[in-house]
Amino acid sequence: MTHAMTPSPDSMAYLNEAKTMPTVAIIAVEFAVCVSKWATRRRTRRALKQLTVWQLDDVGLTPRQARNEAVKVFWRA
């Protein structure tokens, strides 16, 4: 979780050089990105639970793989 909320070295270097955004704004954007990823994971894992065997086969997953992914908590990649 801490990795997702930490700005990447490249983005920090660019923003520090360009002086385009204060540190608080950078942290806010990184936090928003993190929350967005969590929401996407939660939504897609819920949808994964609803897929039929033939739909899972179409996306290349076994029912066991789908179940293992679907039971993960949203903050786990």
Side-chain angles (χ1 to χ4, degrees):
M1 184 169 89
T2 57
H3 181 292
M5 294 181 64
T6 305
S8 69
D10 292 336
S11 65
M12 284 300 294
Y14 170 76
L15 292 170
N16 284 337
E17 285 177 20
K19 304 243 188 272
T20 57
M21 293 172 39
T23 304
V24 174
I26 295 168
I27 293 169
V29 169
E30 292 290 331
F31 179 75
V33 168
C34 181
V35 170
S36 177
K37 285 180 184 179
W38 287 351
T40 300
R41 285 183 193 151
R42 184 172 184 262
R43 185 175 53 255
T44 56
R45 287 175 179 163
R46 285 178 139 189
L48 193 57
K49 291 179 185 179
Q50 305 301 318
L51 296 180
T52 63
V53 174
W54 66 269
Q55 288 171 321
L56 290 170
D57 191 43
D58 280 350
V59 296
L61 292 174
T62 66
R64 171 178 254 156
Q65 289 170 320
R67 186 174 49 255
N68 288 344
E69 185 64 29
V71 298
K72 286 183 183 177
V73 289
F74 63 87
W75 59 83
R76 300 250 186 222

